[in-house]
């Protein structure tokens, strides 16, 4: 009887050990495949070897130039009385959105290139998505507002001063920014409820919404539906509005009898149209017709164009093609000549001002 009891106890002990080891194994597998993580790892651009310092200097230079150019546009609009018009007021708000957008991404990217430390907490990643969404959504609405301003100026010039009052400008800008903050906050609330599991690696240089969704071990169907529904009033509706506005503008321009009048009317909206085509062209290439999954370098190249180069094009397009801003820039360069500014900024401003003059003189010589 004693031996029987000992055997039963041994069997119970073995069974309990087997059950505990099975539990440990299953929990170990769960830790490897389903553990809720608290941080992500950004791969960035991979192993750059000797190109690390070169890319860091290049991207830093572009970022500083973009920030300086956008700040310069804002300062010009604020300080110069000749630029106190609805078009330039909306342009200054567009520059503000560009500064907020690129300042949220590029510092992280530069740190990845220089230090190679891609660890970022989930909370910080979600916060970055929110801080990216606000200026991105507001920018689409601001572009639509700028097209409305051009529509009123060209198609209804006699009512322009009545429609585009300063109160109306404030209402439009406030609506654009409030929509950006509110709609992005809805997405942020949904994102904050998600749980993320291993693998926690993001093959990118910043937290992108699509890649973050893929890492979630929660049900993201409702989140994706909300993001899709929000894209309609923020991305698609402004684009349709811009297209409709420029169809009306083109119809009005073609009815102008003189070629000089047609050229002058089109020149007032050519800068905005150029930036809209470039902006939505890059967005379409990234989100609607992206490269294949195997071409990660092509994807990152498009994102670089969107996050680093596009913020630089906005002030350059408007300064190179706009006579009023060039006139204000001439006044500013004259003041800087007495203050002895840094050579780099003076050379940049001189190039922005002198480039159109050189192109114009070359055209005159060729004719």
């Amino acid at each position: 009887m004693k031996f029987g009891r000992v055997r039963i106890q041994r069997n119970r002990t073995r069974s309990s050990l087997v059950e505990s080891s099975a539990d440990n194994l299953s929990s170990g597998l769960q830790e490897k495949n389903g553990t809720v993580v608290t941080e992500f790892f950004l791969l960035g651009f991979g192993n750059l070897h000797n190109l690390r310092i070169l890319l860091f200097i290049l991207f830093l230079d572009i970022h500083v130039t973009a920030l300086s150019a956008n700040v310069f546009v804002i300062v010009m609009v604020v300080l110069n009385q000749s630029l106190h018009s609805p078009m330039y007021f909306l342009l200054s708000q567009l520059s503000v959105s560009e500064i907020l957008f690129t300042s949220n991404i590029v510092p992280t990217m530069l740190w990845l290139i220089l230090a190679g430390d891609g660890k970022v907490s989930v909370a910080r990643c979600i916060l970055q998505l929110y801080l990216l969404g606000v200026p991105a959504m507001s920018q689409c609405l601001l572009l639509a507002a700028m097209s409305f301003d051009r529509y009123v100026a060209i198609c209804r010039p006699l009512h322009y001063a009545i429609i585009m009052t300063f109160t109306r400008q404030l209402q439009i800008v406030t609506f654009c920014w409030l929509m950006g903050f509110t709609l992005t906050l809805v997405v942020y609330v949904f994102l904050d409820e998600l749980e993320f599991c291993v693998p926690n690696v993001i093959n990118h240089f910043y937290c992108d919404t699509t890649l973050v969704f893929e890492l979630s071990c929660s049900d993201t169907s409702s989140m994706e539906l909300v993001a899709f529904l929000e894209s309609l009033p923020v991305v698609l509706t402004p684009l349709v509005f811009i297209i409709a506005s420029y169809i009306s503008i083109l119809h009005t321009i073609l009815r102008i009898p003189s070629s000089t009048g047609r050229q002058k009317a089109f020149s007032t909206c050519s800068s905005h149209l150029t930036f809209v085509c470039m902006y939505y062209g890059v967005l379409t290439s990234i989100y609607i017709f992206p490269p294949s999954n195997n071409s990660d370098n092509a994807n990152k190249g498009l994102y670089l164009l969107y996050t680093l180069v596009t913020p630089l094009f906005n002030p350059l397009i408007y300064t190179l093609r706009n006579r009023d801003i060039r006139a204000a820039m001439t006044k500013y360069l004259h003041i800087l000549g007495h203050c002895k500014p840094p050579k780099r900024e003076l050379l940049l401003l001189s190039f922005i001002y002198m480039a159109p003059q050189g192109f114009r003189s070359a055209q005159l010589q060729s004719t």
Side-chain angles (χ1 to χ4, degrees):
M1 293 293 293
K2 292 183 179 180
F3 289 107
R5 290 178 181 176
V6 172
R7 288 179 181 177
I8 292 173
Q9 291 178 355
R10 288 179 179 176
N11 291 333
R12 289 178 179 175
T13 304
R14 289 177 181 175
S15 61
S16 62
L17 289 174
V18 171
E19 290 177 357
S20 62
S21 62
D23 293 337
N24 292 333
L25 179 60
S26 61
S27 62
L29 291 175
Q30 187 178 2
E31 288 179 358
K32 291 182 178 179
N33 297 324
T35 302
V36 177
V37 298
T38 58
E39 62 181 17
F40 295 131
F41 187 81
L42 300 174
L43 292 182
F45 298 97
N47 195 356
L48 298 174
H49 299 290
N50 297 329
L51 296 176
R52 186 182 305 275
I53 302 300
L54 179 62
L55 288 179
F56 177 82
I57 295 175
L58 176 63
F59 293 161
L60 178 63
D61 192 53
I62 296 175
H63 178 56
V64 172
T65 304
L67 288 180
S68 303
N70 281 285
V71 170
F72 177 76
V73 169
I74 297 173
V75 171
M76 287 293 98
V77 173
V78 172
L79 297 182
N80 286 272
Q81 189 70 28
S82 60
L83 301 180
H84 289 179
S85 65
M87 181 177 69
Y88 298 116
F89 178 64
L90 294 173
L91 176 61
S92 66
Q93 296 300 309
L94 191 64
S95 294
V96 171
S97 67
E98 295 284 14
I99 292 173
L100 295 176
F101 184 80
T102 188
S103 299
N104 193 26
I105 294 179
V106 178
T108 302
M109 180 185 67
L110 294 175
W111 174 254
L112 276 174
I113 294 174
L114 190 62
D117 185 11
K119 290 183 180 181
V120 56
S121 64
V122 173
R124 181 183 173 187
C125 188
I126 295 176
L127 179 61
Q128 186 184 51
L129 289 176
Y130 177 76
L131 296 177
L132 286 175
V134 171
M137 290 186 177
S138 302
Q139 193 172 50
C140 294
L141 297 173
L142 286 170
L143 290 174
M146 294 177 74
S147 69
F148 174 73
D149 172 74
R150 293 298 86 204
Y151 165 78
V152 176
I154 295 176
C155 300
R156 303 181 64 182
L158 298 179
H159 301 86
Y160 183 77
I162 301 175
I163 296 176
M164 297 301 295
T165 61
F166 184 68
T167 303
R168 182 66 55 81
Q169 298 172 41
L170 291 179
Q171 291 173 349
I172 292 174
V173 169
T174 303
F175 172 78
C176 294
W177 285 107
L178 279 181
M179 285 290 289
F181 278 104
T182 305
L183 295 178
T184 310
L185 183 61
V186 175
V187 179
Y188 178 80
V189 171
F190 276 90
L191 278 173
D192 195 47
E193 297 296 327
L194 297 180
E195 292 184 348
F196 301 93
C197 307
V198 290
N200 59 339
V201 177
I202 300 178
N203 188 13
H204 217 310
F205 53 85
Y206 75 96
C207 294
D208 182 63
T209 308
T210 306
L211 299 178
V212 171
F213 283 172
E214 294 177 356
L215 296 181
S216 175
C217 50
S218 305
D219 184 16
T220 60
S221 57
S222 59
M223 179 70 244
E224 293 174 359
L225 178 62
V226 170
F228 173 75
L229 293 177
E230 287 193 355
S231 66
L232 296 179
V234 174
V235 179
L236 185 60
T237 303
L239 179 60
V240 174
F241 183 82
I242 291 171
I243 294 174
S245 299
Y246 274 102
I247 289 175
S248 301
I249 290 173
L250 182 61
H251 183 262
T252 303
I253 290 176
L254 293 177
R255 292 168 56 187
I256 298 176
S258 63
S259 59
T260 305
R262 290 195 297 268
Q263 184 178 1
K264 183 178 180 180
F266 184 75
S267 64
T268 60
C269 57
S270 59
S271 300
H272 176 256
L273 184 60
T274 301
F275 183 77
V276 166
C277 293
M278 182 190 64
Y279 182 80
Y280 276 98
V282 175
L283 279 183
T284 303
S285 301
I286 291 176
Y287 294 105
I288 300 179
F289 301 107
S292 60
N293 294 329
N294 296 327
S295 55
D296 293 330
N297 293 330
N299 285 325
K300 293 176 183 178
L302 288 174
Y303 277 97
L304 275 177
L305 182 64
Y306 177 56
T307 59
L308 191 65
V309 181
T310 302
L312 177 62
F313 279 178
N314 173 36
L316 287 183
I317 289 174
Y318 276 95
T319 51
L320 288 174
R321 302 177 65 90
N322 192 283
R323 185 177 302 174
D324 295 332
I325 293 183
R326 292 204 306 268
M329 197 178 299
T330 305
K331 180 180 178 181
Y332 183 70
L333 285 173
H334 180 71
I335 297 174
L336 285 180
H338 296 285
C339 296
K340 295 182 179 180
K343 293 182 179 180
R344 177 181 174 184
E345 283 74 7
L346 186 58
L347 288 175
L348 174 63
L349 297 175
S350 301
F351 170 76
I352 294 175
Y353 172 70
M354 295 302 295
Q357 307 296 332
F359 294 154
R360 185 175 300 172
S361 61
Q363 291 178 354
L364 293 175
Q365 291 178 2
S366 61
T367 55

